[in-house]
């Protein structure tokens, strides 16, 4: 059960990280955004949108990769504390 739950959580997190990147190509909802929230636009690429107009914009992919690595590392540490061994 623990392994199935972990795999499902990992799949959800990978999908979310993929949606935040510029490589999301799916259009699963309307132009108005998910649940009417314009922030959650259908074409993804949210990191690039958040960085637009800043000096960090050229480093979008590097920042996305570092952020995903950091989040997954923290979640792995939490998972290991909840389910030791």
């Amino acid at each position: 059960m623990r392994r199935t739950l972990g795999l499902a959580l990992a799949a959800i997190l990978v999908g979310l990280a993929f949606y935040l990147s510029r490589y999301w190509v799916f259009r699963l909802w309307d132009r108005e955004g998910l649940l009417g929230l314009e922030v959650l636009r259908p074409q993804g690429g949210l990191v690039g949108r958040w960085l637009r107009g800043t000096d960090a914009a050229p480093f979008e992919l590097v920042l996305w990769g570092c952020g995903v690595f950091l989040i997954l590392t923290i979640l792995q540490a939490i998972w290991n504390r909840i389910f030791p061994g």
Side-chain angles (χ1 to χ4, degrees):
M1 179 69 177
R2 181 179 75 147
R3 182 174 289 178
T4 305
L5 179 64
L7 287 173
L9 182 63
I12 290 169
L13 290 173
V14 166
L16 182 64
F18 187 57
Y19 173 69
L20 292 174
S21 76
R22 67 170 90 170
Y23 301 110
W24 182 264
V25 294
F26 307 108
R27 291 185 177 266
L28 302 176
W29 49 85
D30 297 331
R31 283 183 57 125
E32 292 81 33
L34 181 63
L35 302 175
L37 299 173
E38 190 175 313
V39 176
L40 298 175
R41 57 191 201 157
Q43 62 265 33
L46 296 182
V47 174
R49 187 173 184 181
W50 294 335
L51 294 176
R52 192 172 297 142
T54 66
D55 292 336
F59 305 105
E60 169 198 351
L61 188 58
V62 174
L63 292 173
W64 173 82
C66 291
V68 168
F69 180 78
L70 182 66
I71 289 170
L72 290 177
T73 301
I74 291 169
L75 289 174
Q76 179 68 45
I78 292 170
W79 182 267
N80 288 340
R81 283 193 177 259
I82 294 172
F83 300 109

